[in-house]
Amino acid sequence: MLGTVVNSVSILLGSLLGYFLKNSFSEDIKSTVMQGLSLTVMLIGISMSIKTNNLLVVTLSIVTGAIIGEILKIEEGLNKIGGRIEKKFSKSEGEFTKAFVTASLVYCVGAMAIMGSIESGLNGNHSILFVKSILDGVSSIVFTSSLGIGVAFSSLPVFIYQGAITLSARFIKAYLTQEIIREMTATGGLLIFGIGINMLSGKSRVKVGNLLPAIFTAVFITYLFIKFNFY
């Protein structure tokens, strides 16, 4: 769990630094930085999504994931969790839940979170998560200075998500082939792109939370495509 602990702490420390630095910037600077950061997040999403070898897999994953997400009301659940944390720990209003949900999705979706946790749990190799910690720590400074302290609380879902993968690594590695990881990454990239759109517009135009199951349906769909030689 060392890699996951370091990753969570880096987000927390980066967020605290960003929180104390936020008053050093004017609203115009914050707005422009946020727009630039939104574009960067969209670029990250695009770079991940173009790794797919089969667009049909990604399409079916998104469709099935959206259906499951809407049935489970994941986005609504995430907003409720953020709202509860806001009431207990934050005196500010408005942006806390958005910051919490946005940062949680950005830090949890991606190949580094999955493969880093697997390597950490299976081989005791924390190098991938250490690199991710540096990236997340730096980005959390920028996120917090623009979105608010809600970013700091995203360290909790990161710890739970990556920790669960780390602890179950020996059981799931056999099922995560290179092809499956590639399509999971591509599908997750589209979700990251959706986060970028929401950040840029300032509104939740894309229900990224309700699309989260797509990352996991990508596993099943890719497996079926390989099995029946459609991949």
Side-chain angles (χ1 to χ4, degrees), residues 39-51:
L39 295 176
T40 302
V41 170
M42 293 168 73
L43 177 61
I44 293 172
I46 292 174
S47 65
M48 290 170 61
S49 61
I50 61 176
K51 292 180 180 179

Side-chain angles (χ1 to χ4, degrees), residues 129-177:
L129 288 184
F130 286 162
V131 173
K132 182 176 182 292
S133 298
I134 296 173
L135 297 174
D136 291 353
V138 173
S139 64
S140 66
I141 297 174
V142 182
F143 270 128
T144 305
S145 64
S146 301
L147 291 174
I149 196 61
V151 175
F153 290 87
S154 67
S155 59
L156 181 59
V158 168
F159 179 80
I160 296 173
Y161 174 72
Q162 292 182 180
I165 295 176
T166 298
L167 294 176
S168 59
R170 68 178 62 184
F171 304 106
I172 64 177
K173 185 177 182 180
Y175 300 98
L176 294 181
T177 63

